[in-house]
Amino acid sequence: MTTIIRAEAAHDFLALVPTLAGFRPERSIVCVAFHGNRTIGVLRHDLPRRARDRSTLVSAIVGTLCRMPGVDAVVPVVYTDATFAGARGVPERALLGLLVKRTEEAGFLVRDALCRAADAWTSILDPKAPAAGHPLALIDESPVTRLAPEEVEVLASPGAAGELPEADPKMAAAIAGAISAFEAQDRAEAAIVRLGRNVDPVELVESLVARSGVKHPAVRLAWFLHLASRPPLRDVMMLQIAFGVVVGEAAYDDAMASAERADRSGETMDELVRREIAEAETDEVSELLMRLMLGQSTLRPDRRRVERALALLRPLIANAPQELRTGPLCIAAWLAWSLGRGSAAGAFIDLALEAEPAHPMASLLHSFIGSGALPEWAFGAPERPDGTADRR
């Protein structure tokens, strides 16, 4: 069900932004994109620390808006801990002014351009705005804040979705016990039998993301951690979570075939992949899977499955043994990135690198996501399984 909330004034709009974004912005430039009178996306970037970085940031923002289908208008908002008094005027006015100019030159309507500082707020497009700004109480007391649906969670900060909850000592002990059973020769067979069909990675993932709010047994969660520590299976499960069982089965078959080739050639999996890419030896399935991992496809992840997986992964990682956290942290980082949550992805990557500074996948994600890369599915209509575009 779609909930329509109308912001009648600029301060009402500022009160609405955290609901639209899903978090309370801090030291950010936030651009709310519109198609007609409806919001269709929210972009967030850190404020530049140097004046010379403004132009580069503005170019990146405008470039992203140009790639988003249907966008015809935008409202940029600066969130800063600076004050009107300290800045002797509107903080970050130069940044907002440059963004307005470049956005209009690109053909977009700029509906407003706002700044929420530590002591006041204003619109730089309002010639009658007081020099010291408007009181923040207008935002805090806006009726819009009471109209947001109760099920919409507003996080404290952009990176809060990447924070882990407190560990549950009882669950942590149960998971550790199950993992030790897998590693003990006299208990491994019994532990595997308890898993039943979930011993298969594809079956396991489907059981974990089929429904939300399910309490999974410790042995199943421990098996996921065990498999996630193995790079080929980690990537298989990650892609299956996002794109479904058909992709999962194809990825699993491809991973097993690659493992056999690596074993025959005496190479590691990483060495095999690098060589086959360099020598153009990858087949169509391998190429498709690589494109999906890099976001080079308009085939969009299933948001409900990804959300369920992230809800499962955060407490699971918090209760996992330290040596088994990096794999699931990489999965969580990529899944968050697939939904456009760069700050949450960055938080997960930081935790992974803190645990294992030289971890190959964590380092790769740090470079790739940290470069500002965005998946193509963020900019186009999703594909149907037959390859045609869904324009609903």
Side-chain angles (χ1 to χ4, degrees), residues 267-298:
E267 297 169 291
T268 66
M269 283 291 292
D270 288 341
E271 291 168 344
L272 177 80
V273 170
R274 283 196 295 268
R275 179 177 61 78
E276 291 188 341
I277 290 175
E279 297 175 2
E281 291 185 4
T282 54
D283 59 22
E284 291 184 4
V285 172
S286 297
E287 176 123 4
L288 170 63
L289 297 172
M290 182 60 67
R291 285 177 51 225
L292 290 176
M293 287 189 67
L294 296 175
Q296 297 173 354
S297 171
T298 55

mmCIF file of all heavy atoms in Angstrom, residues 267-298:
data_model
loop_
_atom_site.group_PDB
_atom_site.id
_atom_site.type_symbol
_atom_site.label_atom_id
_atom_site.label_comp_id
_atom_site.label_asym_id
_atom_site.label_seq_id
_atom_site.Cartn_x
_atom_site.Cartn_y
_atom_site.Cartn_z
ATOM 1 N N GLU A 267 45.677 -24.504 -9.359
ATOM 2 C CA GLU A 267 45.530 -23.076 -9.037
ATOM 3 C C GLU A 267 44.546 -22.905 -7.885
ATOM 4 O O GLU A 267 43.702 -23.770 -7.629
ATOM 5 C CB GLU A 267 44.999 -22.309 -10.250
ATOM 6 C CG GLU A 267 45.914 -22.322 -11.464
ATOM 7 C CD GLU A 267 45.202 -21.777 -12.693
ATOM 8 O OE1 GLU A 267 44.271 -22.446 -13.188
ATOM 9 O OE2 GLU A 267 45.572 -20.691 -13.147
ATOM 10 N N THR A 268 44.646 -21.767 -7.220
ATOM 11 C CA THR A 268 43.593 -21.388 -6.287
ATOM 12 C C THR A 268 42.409 -20.879 -7.107
ATOM 13 O O THR A 268 42.541 -20.578 -8.309
ATOM 14 C CB THR A 268 44.052 -20.284 -5.336
ATOM 15 O OG1 THR A 268 44.286 -19.070 -6.088
ATOM 16 C CG2 THR A 268 45.330 -20.677 -4.597
ATOM 17 N N MET A 269 41.248 -20.756 -6.473
ATOM 18 C CA MET A 269 40.073 -20.250 -7.177
ATOM 19 C C MET A 269 40.317 -18.835 -7.687
ATOM 20 O O MET A 269 39.939 -18.486 -8.809
ATOM 21 C CB MET A 269 38.848 -20.287 -6.268
ATOM 22 C CG MET A 269 38.247 -21.670 -6.089
ATOM 23 S SD MET A 269 37.473 -22.284 -7.604
ATOM 24 C CE MET A 269 36.068 -21.177 -7.743
ATOM 25 N N ASP A 270 40.946 -17.979 -6.856
ATOM 26 C CA ASP A 270 41.222 -16.611 -7.286
ATOM 27 C C ASP A 270 42.142 -16.594 -8.509
ATOM 28 O O ASP A 270 41.936 -15.817 -9.447
ATOM 29 C CB ASP A 270 41.858 -15.812 -6.143
ATOM 30 C CG ASP A 270 40.862 -15.478 -5.046
ATOM 31 O OD1 ASP A 270 39.649 -15.533 -5.318
ATOM 32 O OD2 ASP A 270 41.292 -15.154 -3.929
ATOM 33 N N GLU A 271 43.172 -17.444 -8.503
ATOM 34 C CA GLU A 271 44.090 -17.505 -9.637
ATOM 35 C C GLU A 271 43.373 -17.983 -10.893
ATOM 36 O O GLU A 271 43.594 -17.454 -11.992
ATOM 37 C CB GLU A 271 45.258 -18.440 -9.310
ATOM 38 C CG GLU A 271 46.209 -17.895 -8.247
ATOM 39 C CD GLU A 271 47.180 -18.940 -7.746
ATOM 40 O OE1 GLU A 271 46.942 -20.152 -7.974
ATOM 41 O OE2 GLU A 271 48.183 -18.551 -7.105
ATOM 42 N N LEU A 272 42.519 -18.993 -10.732
ATOM 43 C CA LEU A 272 41.770 -19.508 -11.877
ATOM 44 C C LEU A 272 40.877 -18.438 -12.479
ATOM 45 O O LEU A 272 40.850 -18.244 -13.706
ATOM 46 C CB LEU A 272 40.925 -20.709 -11.438
ATOM 47 C CG LEU A 272 40.024 -21.299 -12.535
ATOM 48 C CD1 LEU A 272 40.816 -22.199 -13.451
ATOM 49 C CD2 LEU A 272 38.833 -22.044 -11.934
ATOM 50 N N VAL A 273 40.123 -17.737 -11.636
ATOM 51 C CA VAL A 273 39.200 -16.713 -12.134
ATOM 52 C C VAL A 273 39.957 -15.613 -12.861
ATOM 53 O O VAL A 273 39.572 -15.188 -13.958
ATOM 54 C CB VAL A 273 38.361 -16.131 -10.975
ATOM 55 C CG1 VAL A 273 37.586 -14.908 -11.444
ATOM 56 C CG2 VAL A 273 37.407 -17.190 -10.430
ATOM 57 N N ARG A 274 41.072 -15.135 -12.259
ATOM 58 C CA ARG A 274 41.846 -14.079 -12.909
ATOM 59 C C ARG A 274 42.380 -14.542 -14.268
ATOM 60 O O ARG A 274 42.333 -13.800 -15.252
ATOM 61 C CB ARG A 274 43.003 -13.636 -12.007
ATOM 62 C CG ARG A 274 42.587 -12.729 -10.859
ATOM 63 C CD ARG A 274 43.792 -12.023 -10.268
ATOM 64 N NE ARG A 274 44.721 -12.972 -9.653
ATOM 65 C CZ ARG A 274 44.683 -13.328 -8.370
ATOM 66 N NH1 ARG A 274 43.753 -12.814 -7.583
ATOM 67 N NH2 ARG A 274 45.562 -14.171 -7.885
ATOM 68 N N ARG A 275 42.878 -15.774 -14.335
ATOM 69 C CA ARG A 275 43.435 -16.273 -15.598
ATOM 70 C C ARG A 275 42.337 -16.426 -16.649
ATOM 71 O O ARG A 275 42.528 -16.026 -17.815
ATOM 72 C CB ARG A 275 44.131 -17.611 -15.372
ATOM 73 C CG ARG A 275 44.706 -18.208 -16.662
ATOM 74 C CD ARG A 275 45.455 -19.495 -16.421
ATOM 75 N NE ARG A 275 44.621 -20.543 -15.862
ATOM 76 C CZ ARG A 275 43.755 -21.272 -16.579
ATOM 77 N NH1 ARG A 275 43.589 -21.037 -17.872
ATOM 78 N NH2 ARG A 275 43.038 -22.232 -15.995
ATOM 79 N N GLU A 276 41.205 -17.002 -16.266
ATOM 80 C CA GLU A 276 40.155 -17.231 -17.253
ATOM 81 C C GLU A 276 39.559 -15.930 -17.770
ATOM 82 O O GLU A 276 39.200 -15.833 -18.947
ATOM 83 C CB GLU A 276 39.066 -18.123 -16.653
ATOM 84 C CG GLU A 276 39.536 -19.559 -16.422
ATOM 85 C CD GLU A 276 38.427 -20.498 -16.001
ATOM 86 O OE1 GLU A 276 37.367 -20.007 -15.530
ATOM 87 O OE2 GLU A 276 38.604 -21.723 -16.136
ATOM 88 N N ILE A 277 39.480 -14.924 -16.913
ATOM 89 C CA ILE A 277 38.995 -13.616 -17.376
ATOM 90 C C ILE A 277 40.005 -13.008 -18.336
ATOM 91 O O ILE A 277 39.649 -12.480 -19.398
ATOM 92 C CB ILE A 277 38.734 -12.684 -16.184
ATOM 93 C CG1 ILE A 277 37.513 -13.170 -15.391
ATOM 94 C CG2 ILE A 277 38.509 -11.250 -16.665
ATOM 95 C CD1 ILE A 277 37.248 -12.377 -14.133
ATOM 96 N N ALA A 278 41.292 -13.069 -17.972
ATOM 97 C CA ALA A 278 42.340 -12.499 -18.825
ATOM 98 C C ALA A 278 42.399 -13.189 -20.179
ATOM 99 O O ALA A 278 42.661 -12.559 -21.209
ATOM 100 C CB ALA A 278 43.693 -12.592 -18.121
ATOM 101 N N GLU A 279 42.159 -14.505 -20.191
ATOM 102 C CA GLU A 279 42.237 -15.279 -21.430
ATOM 103 C C GLU A 279 40.880 -15.433 -22.111
ATOM 104 O O GLU A 279 40.749 -16.172 -23.082
ATOM 105 C CB GLU A 279 42.830 -16.663 -21.126
ATOM 106 C CG GLU A 279 44.256 -16.599 -20.594
ATOM 107 C CD GLU A 279 44.794 -17.961 -20.171
ATOM 108 O OE1 GLU A 279 44.057 -18.965 -20.336
ATOM 109 O OE2 GLU A 279 45.935 -18.019 -19.687
ATOM 110 N N ALA A 280 39.869 -14.726 -21.597
ATOM 111 C CA ALA A 280 38.511 -14.745 -22.181
ATOM 112 C C ALA A 280 37.972 -16.161 -22.301
ATOM 113 O O ALA A 280 37.364 -16.536 -23.303
ATOM 114 C CB ALA A 280 38.502 -14.041 -23.529
ATOM 115 N N GLU A 281 38.180 -16.956 -21.256
ATOM 116 C CA GLU A 281 37.731 -18.346 -21.271
ATOM 117 C C GLU A 281 36.415 -18.559 -20.524
ATOM 118 O O GLU A 281 35.942 -19.681 -20.408
ATOM 119 C CB GLU A 281 38.808 -19.256 -20.656
ATOM 120 C CG GLU A 281 40.061 -19.369 -21.502
ATOM 121 C CD GLU A 281 41.048 -20.367 -20.917
ATOM 122 O OE1 GLU A 281 40.698 -21.004 -19.898
ATOM 123 O OE2 GLU A 281 42.153 -20.499 -21.459
ATOM 124 N N THR A 282 35.818 -17.491 -20.005
ATOM 125 C CA THR A 282 34.580 -17.656 -19.248
ATOM 126 C C THR A 282 33.415 -17.945 -20.194
ATOM 127 O O THR A 282 33.335 -17.390 -21.294
ATOM 128 C CB THR A 282 34.258 -16.386 -18.437
ATOM 129 O OG1 THR A 282 34.244 -15.254 -19.331
ATOM 130 C CG2 THR A 282 35.307 -16.148 -17.372
ATOM 131 N N ASP A 283 32.497 -18.829 -19.758
ATOM 132 C CA ASP A 283 31.332 -19.128 -20.585
ATOM 133 C C ASP A 283 30.208 -18.142 -20.280
ATOM 134 O O ASP A 283 30.361 -17.236 -19.461
ATOM 135 C CB ASP A 283 30.879 -20.574 -20.373
ATOM 136 C CG ASP A 283 30.514 -20.871 -18.919
ATOM 137 O OD1 ASP A 283 30.214 -19.919 -18.169
ATOM 138 O OD2 ASP A 283 30.531 -22.050 -18.530
ATOM 139 N N GLU A 284 29.058 -18.333 -20.952
ATOM 140 C CA GLU A 284 27.960 -17.375 -20.816
ATOM 141 C C GLU A 284 27.425 -17.317 -19.390
ATOM 142 O O GLU A 284 27.094 -16.236 -18.892
ATOM 143 C CB GLU A 284 26.836 -17.737 -21.790
ATOM 144 C CG GLU A 284 27.192 -17.519 -23.247
ATOM 145 C CD GLU A 284 26.024 -17.801 -24.169
ATOM 146 O OE1 GLU A 284 24.925 -18.093 -23.652
ATOM 147 O OE2 GLU A 284 26.206 -17.736 -25.403
ATOM 148 N N VAL A 285 27.324 -18.483 -18.729
ATOM 149 C CA VAL A 285 26.795 -18.494 -17.370
ATOM 150 C C VAL A 285 27.741 -17.764 -16.422
ATOM 151 O O VAL A 285 27.317 -16.922 -15.620
ATOM 152 C CB VAL A 285 26.557 -19.941 -16.887
ATOM 153 C CG1 VAL A 285 26.188 -19.958 -15.403
ATOM 154 C CG2 VAL A 285 25.464 -20.604 -17.715
ATOM 155 N N SER A 286 29.035 -18.068 -16.516
ATOM 156 C CA SER A 286 30.022 -17.401 -15.656
ATOM 157 C C SER A 286 30.008 -15.900 -15.889
ATOM 158 O O SER A 286 30.112 -15.103 -14.954
ATOM 159 C CB SER A 286 31.418 -17.960 -15.915
ATOM 160 O OG SER A 286 31.488 -19.331 -15.580
ATOM 161 N N GLU A 287 29.874 -15.506 -17.162
ATOM 162 C CA GLU A 287 29.855 -14.082 -17.489
ATOM 163 C C GLU A 287 28.624 -13.404 -16.884
ATOM 164 O O GLU A 287 28.705 -12.296 -16.341
ATOM 165 C CB GLU A 287 29.838 -13.910 -19.007
ATOM 166 C CG GLU A 287 29.716 -12.487 -19.444
ATOM 167 C CD GLU A 287 30.868 -12.048 -20.359
ATOM 168 O OE1 GLU A 287 31.729 -12.852 -20.714
ATOM 169 O OE2 GLU A 287 30.855 -10.885 -20.678
ATOM 170 N N LEU A 288 27.456 -14.059 -16.963
ATOM 171 C CA LEU A 288 26.236 -13.501 -16.383
ATOM 172 C C LEU A 288 26.390 -13.332 -14.878
ATOM 173 O O LEU A 288 26.031 -12.286 -14.319
ATOM 174 C CB LEU A 288 25.048 -14.404 -16.688
ATOM 175 C CG LEU A 288 23.744 -14.071 -15.943
ATOM 176 C CD1 LEU A 288 23.245 -12.697 -16.324
ATOM 177 C CD2 LEU A 288 22.686 -15.135 -16.190
ATOM 178 N N LEU A 289 26.923 -14.353 -14.210
ATOM 179 C CA LEU A 289 27.082 -14.289 -12.761
ATOM 180 C C LEU A 289 28.037 -13.170 -12.359
ATOM 181 O O LEU A 289 27.799 -12.457 -11.382
ATOM 182 C CB LEU A 289 27.584 -15.633 -12.230
ATOM 183 C CG LEU A 289 26.633 -16.823 -12.448
ATOM 184 C CD1 LEU A 289 27.313 -18.117 -12.057
ATOM 185 C CD2 LEU A 289 25.337 -16.637 -11.662
ATOM 186 N N MET A 290 29.119 -13.003 -13.123
ATOM 187 C CA MET A 290 30.056 -11.920 -12.832
ATOM 188 C C MET A 290 29.398 -10.563 -13.019
ATOM 189 O O MET A 290 29.590 -9.643 -12.216
ATOM 190 C CB MET A 290 31.282 -12.049 -13.734
ATOM 191 C CG MET A 290 32.359 -10.993 -13.471
ATOM 192 S SD MET A 290 33.002 -11.063 -11.778
ATOM 193 C CE MET A 290 33.833 -12.658 -11.826
ATOM 194 N N ARG A 291 28.577 -10.423 -14.069
ATOM 195 C CA ARG A 291 27.871 -9.158 -14.308
ATOM 196 C C ARG A 291 26.917 -8.853 -13.164
ATOM 197 O O ARG A 291 26.778 -7.693 -12.744
ATOM 198 C CB ARG A 291 27.121 -9.214 -15.632
ATOM 199 C CG ARG A 291 28.012 -9.085 -16.870
ATOM 200 C CD ARG A 291 27.215 -9.224 -18.151
ATOM 201 N NE ARG A 291 26.060 -8.337 -18.144
ATOM 202 C CZ ARG A 291 24.838 -8.692 -18.507
ATOM 203 N NH1 ARG A 291 24.584 -9.927 -18.899
ATOM 204 N NH2 ARG A 291 23.856 -7.817 -18.467
ATOM 205 N N LEU A 292 26.240 -9.869 -12.658
ATOM 206 C CA LEU A 292 25.327 -9.658 -11.537
ATOM 207 C C LEU A 292 26.097 -9.193 -10.300
ATOM 208 O O LEU A 292 25.658 -8.273 -9.593
ATOM 209 C CB LEU A 292 24.557 -10.941 -11.226
ATOM 210 C CG LEU A 292 23.508 -11.383 -12.259
ATOM 211 C CD1 LEU A 292 22.906 -12.722 -11.851
ATOM 212 C CD2 LEU A 292 22.417 -10.326 -12.423
ATOM 213 N N MET A 293 27.241 -9.807 -10.035
ATOM 214 C CA MET A 293 28.027 -9.413 -8.863
ATOM 215 C C MET A 293 28.505 -7.980 -8.965
ATOM 216 O O MET A 293 28.593 -7.265 -7.965
ATOM 217 C CB MET A 293 29.222 -10.355 -8.691
ATOM 218 C CG MET A 293 28.856 -11.735 -8.180
ATOM 219 S SD MET A 293 30.302 -12.718 -7.751
ATOM 220 C CE MET A 293 30.918 -11.809 -6.342
ATOM 221 N N LEU A 294 28.817 -7.535 -10.186
ATOM 222 C CA LEU A 294 29.318 -6.175 -10.401
ATOM 223 C C LEU A 294 28.189 -5.170 -10.617
ATOM 224 O O LEU A 294 28.450 -3.986 -10.815
ATOM 225 C CB LEU A 294 30.264 -6.153 -11.597
ATOM 226 C CG LEU A 294 31.561 -6.961 -11.446
ATOM 227 C CD1 LEU A 294 32.352 -6.944 -12.742
ATOM 228 C CD2 LEU A 294 32.396 -6.416 -10.296
ATOM 229 N N GLY A 295 26.947 -5.653 -10.577
ATOM 230 C CA GLY A 295 25.814 -4.744 -10.774
ATOM 231 C C GLY A 295 25.650 -4.304 -12.211
ATOM 232 O O GLY A 295 24.996 -3.298 -12.478
ATOM 233 N N GLN A 296 26.217 -5.067 -13.157
ATOM 234 C CA GLN A 296 26.149 -4.696 -14.568
ATOM 235 C C GLN A 296 24.958 -5.372 -15.237
ATOM 236 O O GLN A 296 25.084 -6.105 -16.212
ATOM 237 C CB GLN A 296 27.458 -5.067 -15.261
ATOM 238 C CG GLN A 296 28.650 -4.312 -14.715
ATOM 239 C CD GLN A 296 29.971 -4.806 -15.285
ATOM 240 O OE1 GLN A 296 30.026 -5.792 -16.014
ATOM 241 N NE2 GLN A 296 31.045 -4.113 -14.948
ATOM 242 N N SER A 297 23.783 -5.119 -14.699
ATOM 243 C CA SER A 297 22.554 -5.732 -15.204
ATOM 244 C C SER A 297 21.365 -4.920 -14.716
ATOM 245 O O SER A 297 21.434 -4.286 -13.660
ATOM 246 C CB SER A 297 22.437 -7.176 -14.708
ATOM 247 O OG SER A 297 21.168 -7.718 -15.014
ATOM 248 N N THR A 298 20.298 -4.929 -15.491
ATOM 249 C CA THR A 298 19.056 -4.296 -15.033
ATOM 250 C C THR A 298 18.134 -5.304 -14.368
ATOM 251 O O THR A 298 17.014 -4.971 -13.985
ATOM 252 C CB THR A 298 18.318 -3.605 -16.194
ATOM 253 O OG1 THR A 298 18.091 -4.553 -17.236
ATOM 254 C CG2 THR A 298 19.120 -2.439 -16.735
#
